[in-house]
Amino acid sequence: MTGVSIQCLGRADYAETFAAMRAYNDARGRQGDDQIWIVEHPPVYTQGLAGKPEHLLNPGDIPVVQTDRGGQVTYHGPGQIVVYPLLDLKRLKIGPKALVNGLEQVLIDELAALGIVAERRQGAPGVYVGADKIASLGLRIRHGCCYHGLSLNVDMDLEPFARINPCGYAGLNMSQLADFNAQDDVFVIGQRLAARIVEQFDLSLSNPRTARIEGTLTSTAGP
């Protein structure tokens, strides 16, 4: 088994988090530890490498950050949990397809435990409940390791999604756990998702931490 630690960052600025996980990925080397970061972001739109400006309809005063993940534009904000698995895929002996399928399965299993039937869609990464998208996925593989990750809408203001074409799909409706009376603290759900990632990829949990990563991020609020 590969050892992994879980880091809970609280609420942290997206751009700082992005810079920190990219820097960690570039510096970790072949012997670097796998980590799973759990975080909530202040309001922000993030644009993927293939992002087209026409999918940003009316961002208003919400900042737009260009990233190096795949996909188009999405929204992060309070009430949404984001989980970043920083995993060495070569060490795990898995490829991009297995990574995506595994993370989608983690979300599907968590939603099933909450009594919500969800499914994946071919060619459209993420997890859906009926016609509505409840969780998104965006990843980057660099030097054989992955970063970025998944987001699950828990209990948030969904209005900012109406100002974009979420993930590049015009008219895509977004849903959240609160719509199904399945409310819980976002960081509790994040811990459960992290535990499911550990199990899904046959990792060995070591040194779980509940504080932000010292020296890398400026947390704006605690969990």
Side-chain angles (χ1 to χ4, degrees):
M1 287 187 176
T2 298
V4 62
S5 61
I6 297 174
Q7 320 278 355
C8 187
L9 279 57
R11 185 179 296 178
D13 177 78
Y14 177 82
E16 290 187 18
T17 309
F18 167 39
M21 64 181 166
R22 182 184 172 101
Y24 181 80
N25 184 84
D26 288 351
R28 59 179 294 173
R30 292 263 62 87
Q31 302 304 316
D33 294 336
D34 285 343
Q35 297 185 357
I36 300 172
W37 295 5
I38 303 169
V39 64
E40 181 187 53
H41 292 305
V44 64
Y45 293 115
T46 69
Q47 185 78 287
L49 284 171
K52 298 179 180 179
E54 57 263 35
H55 293 309
L56 276 164
L57 306 178
N58 181 28
D61 60 354
I62 298 176
V64 180
V65 177
Q66 299 293 323
T67 79
D68 62 353
R69 62 164 173 79
Q72 298 282 338
V73 64
T74 194
Y75 170 72
H76 298 305
Q80 177 196 74
I81 194 64
V82 183
V83 181
Y84 295 124
L86 311 181
L87 308 178
D88 187 327
L89 302 188
K90 289 186 177 179
R91 195 158 57 200
L92 293 177
K93 298 180 181 179
I94 62 172
K97 184 175 181 180
L99 174 65
V100 170
N101 285 344
L103 292 176
E104 288 175 337
Q105 193 61 51
V106 161
L107 289 160
I108 290 169
D109 290 346
E110 176 62 22
L111 290 166
L114 296 171
I116 302 169
V117 178
E119 61 185 6
R120 56 173 60 88
R121 285 186 181 177
Q122 189 69 30
V127 171
Y128 300 78
V129 179
D132 302 337
K133 191 169 191 177
I134 196 169
S136 300
L137 211 66
L139 296 160
R140 175 68 190 270
I141 299 174
R142 183 177 166 92
H143 307 314
C145 302
C146 70
Y147 56 105
H148 295 291
L150 59 89
S151 61
L152 174 63
N153 304 333
V154 179
D155 188 2
M156 62 187 302
D157 179 8
L158 294 175
E159 186 276 333
F161 283 108
R163 304 192 214 169
I164 61 174
N165 291 330
C167 306
Y169 293 97
L172 177 62
N173 192 51
M174 305 297 290
S175 63
Q176 58 183 331
L177 296 185
D179 295 339
F180 303 93
N181 297 316
Q183 299 182 48
D184 208 339
D185 180 85
V186 290
F187 292 99
V188 171
I189 294 172
Q191 291 282 356
R192 292 204 300 259
L193 289 170
R196 290 186 185 278
I197 291 173
V198 170
E199 181 178 3
Q200 179 70 35
F201 295 104
D202 196 27
L203 303 169
S204 175
L205 182 60
S206 60
N207 300 323
R209 289 171 56 185
T210 57
R212 69 182 178 90
I213 300 173
E214 295 297 335
T216 59
L217 301 167
T218 304
S219 180
T220 58

